[in-house]
Amino acid sequence: MAMVCLSDFEAYAKKYLPKMAWDYFAAGADDCNTRDENILAYKRIRFRPRMLRDVSMMDIRTRILGTEISFPVGIAPTGFHQLAWPDGEKSTARAAKAMNTCYIASTYSTCTLEEISVAAPRALRWFQLYIHRNRATSQQLVQRAEALGFQALVLTADLPYAGRRRADIRNGFCLPPHMKLKNLEQDFEYGLPPNSLDPSVTWNDIYWLQSLTHLPIIIKGILTKEDAELAVRHGVQGIIVSNHGGRQLDEGPATIDALVEVVEAVRGRVEVYLDGGIRKGSDVLKALALGAKCVFIGRPALWGLAYKGEEGLQDVLRILQDEFRLSMALAG
């Protein structure tokens, strides 16, 4: 079957992944309204295309935190890539490097930070952090990431507790025995290591993180102008507008809808990115038109891995790149 758009990869992954793995990746919280709204919201946005603009030469490169990437799509942090492909996050890192874009490695990777670094040396990698009750664990992760050449720290702010994902509960989701949360020396039960995340984290903990590292700090999970303002005030260098793929609080806004007020509040003081619901190159263009500097893909990256590992993920990125370039041209 010819893979011509991202939904082809989705169909393949749904057909061939074990049910428990597919359900884990596909899950949203509760009724999945926010998960689905992330995609539907794009369908309500229309372009105002301009004609006769000379689109013979187009440059789709951009810079994020000063580093050039080939086009404004990176790979969002998602957990457990070995559920999709045996090489897991190593394949993800290699695909991102081959396409010259950014990969945000998750705290909940099934490969170590060291393995990810070795797989794609000198690539643009950021590290996504959850703050654990055991602060020493988080501190060690931050310092390991910095020592290994990760170029930014992405603090996920929307997970004081794991959202209620019904399919995982029904399936009794757990990692297969041969897979481990390689960056955390503890066993895995439902959703997350039991009660390991610190629900008492506040804005002041950004100062704590700044005391541990020289890396720029990006905060992920912002959906309101009030929190965007607080993020800037606390000295972060970037914001990822995100609702965790609709996996946390159901009935929150779609990220593309929340983007507008965040961009307005930030007024260019920090870079604003977005994840959630990107399925076509035209979605990327809509996000950029509404003020995002770059977008990140979560589930589509996993579908690419499920199809053919790093080669499949490169295919997904290449399709988005081609669609984005064409949308830019046709919109003038």
Side-chain angles (χ1 to χ4, degrees), residues 83-102:
L83 287 175
W85 187 255
D87 252 7
E89 290 81 3
K90 291 184 282 190
S91 290
T92 313
R94 286 193 287 258
K97 185 182 182 189
M99 293 299 291
N100 188 27
T101 193
C102 178

Side-chain angles (χ1 to χ4, degrees), residues 73-133:
V73 177
I75 298 169
T78 48
F80 317 147
H81 289 195
Q82 281 183 357
L83 287 175
W85 187 255
D87 252 7
E89 290 81 3
K90 291 184 282 190
S91 290
T92 313
R94 286 193 287 258
K97 185 182 182 189
M99 293 299 291
N100 188 27
T101 193
C102 178
Y103 164 40
I104 309 176
S106 169
T107 289
Y108 295 120
S109 296
T110 43
C111 298
T112 64
L113 294 179
E114 288 75 9
E115 288 171 325
I116 293 167
S117 301
V118 168
R122 294 180 302 286
L124 176 59
R125 290 184 314 270
W126 294 353
F127 174 63
Q128 174 271 332
L129 179 75
Y130 292 117
I131 295 182
H132 288 76
R133 288 176 193 267

Side-chain angles (χ1 to χ4, degrees), residues 128-173:
Q128 174 271 332
L129 179 75
Y130 292 117
I131 295 182
H132 288 76
R133 288 176 193 267
N134 178 355
R135 290 295 176 100
T137 300
S138 298
Q139 181 170 342
Q140 285 160 2
L141 278 172
V142 169
Q143 289 164 344
R144 265 170 73 193
E146 183 167 9
L148 288 164
F150 285 78
Q151 285 165 267
L153 192 62
V154 177
L155 173 66
T156 294
D158 60 6
L159 208 138
Y161 301 97
R164 191 169 175 82
R165 302 161 200 166
R166 295 172 186 169
D168 290 347
I169 298 169
R170 290 190 185 105
N171 292 335
F173 176 75

Side-chain angles (χ1 to χ4, degrees), residues 263-284:
V263 167
E264 212 165 84
V266 162
R267 300 196 309 275
R269 290 171 290 173
V270 302
E271 294 185 0
V272 178
Y273 319 114
L274 165 143
D275 68 24
I278 298 284
R279 298 293 180 268
K280 298 179 300 197
S282 57
D283 296 339
V284 181

Side-chain angles (χ1 to χ4, degrees), residues 4 14 19 46 78 101 134 151 153 193 207-209 216 221-223 252 267 289 295 302 305 329:
V4 298
K14 185 170 187 178
K19 179 177 167 25
R46 292 288 175 266
T78 48
T101 193
N134 178 355
Q151 285 165 267
L153 192 62
Y207 299 134
W208 172 69
L209 283 178
I222 301 300
L223 292 165
R267 300 196 309 275
V295 304
L302 295 160
L305 285 179

Side-chain angles (χ1 to χ4, degrees), residues 16-314:
Y16 290 104
L17 281 175
K19 179 177 167 25
M20 188 184 282
W22 167 259
D23 285 352
Y24 174 76
F25 292 145
D30 301 320
D31 292 330
C32 299
N33 288 325
T34 294
R35 179 197 69 181
D36 297 343
E37 187 61 23
N38 270 352
I39 294 168
L40 294 171
Y42 281 97
K43 300 182 191 299
R44 293 192 287 270
I45 297 169
R46 292 288 175 266
F47 295 113
R48 296 183 67 248
R50 301 292 307 280
M51 301 302 139
L52 304 176
R53 303 276 288 180
D54 186 359
V55 291
S56 56
M57 299 287 284
M58 282 186 296
D59 185 357
I60 60 170
R61 294 171 300 172
T62 191
R63 302 182 87 83
I64 50 175
L65 295 187
T67 302
E68 186 178 286
I69 54 176
S70 62
F71 75 128
V73 177
I75 298 169
T78 48
F80 317 147
H81 289 195
Q82 281 183 357
L83 287 175
W85 187 255
D87 252 7
E89 290 81 3
K90 291 184 282 190
S91 290
T92 313
R94 286 193 287 258
K97 185 182 182 189
M99 293 299 291
N100 188 27
T101 193
C102 178
Y103 164 40
I104 309 176
S106 169
T107 289
Y108 295 120
S109 296
T110 43
C111 298
T112 64
L113 294 179
E114 288 75 9
E115 288 171 325
I116 293 167
S117 301
V118 168
R122 294 180 302 286
L124 176 59
R125 290 184 314 270
W126 294 353
F127 174 63
Q128 174 271 332
L129 179 75
Y130 292 117
I131 295 182
H132 288 76
R133 288 176 193 267
N134 178 355
R135 290 295 176 100
T137 300
S138 298
Q139 181 170 342
Q140 285 160 2
L141 278 172
V142 169
Q143 289 164 344
R144 265 170 73 193
E146 183 167 9
L148 288 164
F150 285 78
Q151 285 165 267
L153 192 62
V154 177
L155 173 66
T156 294
D158 60 6
L159 208 138
Y161 301 97
R164 191 169 175 82
R165 302 161 200 166
R166 295 172 186 169
D168 290 347
I169 298 169
R170 290 190 185 105
N171 292 335
F173 176 75
C174 60
L175 279 181
H178 66 283
M179 280 180 215
K180 292 276 182 285
L181 284 181
K182 286 290 197 65
N183 292 306
L184 299 165
E185 300 301 311
Q186 51 197 322
D187 289 324
F188 168 91
E189 291 178 24
Y190 165 68
L192 295 166
N195 303 319
S196 70
L197 293 181
D198 187 348
S200 74
V201 173
T202 69
W203 289 100
N204 285 334
D205 289 297
I206 290 176
Y207 299 134
W208 172 69
L209 283 178
Q210 287 164 340
S211 76
L212 302 181
T213 180
H214 298 297
L215 294 177
I217 293 171
I218 295 155
I219 190 157
K220 175 181 182 289
I222 301 300
L223 292 165
T224 62
K225 61 179 187 288
E226 292 85 354
D227 280 346
E229 190 59 60
L230 281 164
V232 174
R233 210 179 304 156
H234 285 82
V236 305
Q237 275 87 356
I239 289 172
I240 302 179
V241 176
S242 175
N243 54 31
H244 219 101
R247 294 162 75 81
Q248 282 301 100
L249 176 67
D250 204 17
E251 314 300 338
T255 50
I256 191 70
D257 291 338
L259 175 68
V260 179
E261 72 173 80
V262 171
V263 167
E264 212 165 84
V266 162
R267 300 196 309 275
R269 290 171 290 173
V270 302
E271 294 185 0
V272 178
Y273 319 114
L274 165 143
D275 68 24
I278 298 284
R279 298 293 180 268
K280 298 179 300 197
S282 57
D283 296 339
V284 181
L285 184 57
K286 288 172 183 179
L288 265 61
L290 293 172
K293 181 86 168 132
C294 176
V295 304
F296 292 88
I297 56 168
R299 292 183 183 94
L302 295 160
W303 306 335
L305 285 179
Y307 176 59
K308 270 189 192 171
E310 96 194 55
E311 192 185 326
L313 177 45
Q314 279 189 58

